[in-house]
Amino acid sequence: MVVDFSIIGEKMKIFDTDEMDVWRDTVSENPNTGEVTEATAMVVEKQPCHISYKINDRPDTVTAGTMPVTQLIRVDFPAGVDVKNGDYVKLRRKSNGVAFAEINGFVGMLSEYPGRSNFYLQVRKDV
């Protein structure tokens, strides 16, 4: 029996009320001169997505003083969108079609599934 996960991904699009833009660092070499050019190019613009928040509580009593509660930003979007670890993203949280918050960061811990993909936002690229 074959399961078609694209149906699930299609149904989940109703939750994609937010937007994201994605940029990627590119390196190109001129074959005539050998000159290397680095640039940042937009690869995805106004991609519908869903922004959610996850709280990581570390209830370990031994390290409670040094391990604070952290909040992660998770972004879910349709499978097949050109997003890679380390890409720069600009997220727009929307309500009734109007952006009320903008969050910038980097793609980290990208997970791809047959119907959907997601990543956790990193504030710094080197983390």
Side-chain angles (χ1 to χ4, degrees), residues 29-88:
E29 182 178 346
N30 184 328
N32 299 326
T33 63
E35 181 182 350
V36 176
T37 306
E38 295 182 17
T40 301
M42 180 179 279
V43 292
V44 177
E45 184 176 17
K46 295 186 178 178
Q47 171 63 48
C49 63
H50 176 71
I51 300 170
S52 59
Y53 304 92
K54 179 181 175 186
I55 302 292
N56 271 356
D57 186 9
R58 299 195 170 92
D60 184 4
T61 56
V62 176
T63 59
T66 59
M67 300 296 285
V69 173
T70 58
Q71 184 177 32
L72 301 173
I73 297 174
R74 177 177 159 157
V75 181
D76 292 274
F77 54 96
V81 176
D82 187 14
V83 176
K84 296 181 180 177
N85 279 323
D87 284 350
Y88 175 76

Side-chain angles (χ1 to χ4, degrees), residues 111-126:
S111 298
E112 299 181 68
Y113 304 98
R116 297 284 283 173
S117 296
N118 67 59
F119 65 85
Y120 288 98
L121 189 71
Q122 292 181 330
V123 178
R124 293 183 2 207
K125 194 172 186 174
D126 61 345

Side-chain angles (χ1 to χ4, degrees), residues 85-104:
N85 279 323
D87 284 350
Y88 175 76
V89 292
K90 181 180 286 187
L91 305 172
R92 283 179 293 285
R93 184 82 164 145
K94 295 177 123 183
S95 177
N96 296 324
V98 178
F100 66 88
E102 192 169 273
I103 308 161
N104 301 323

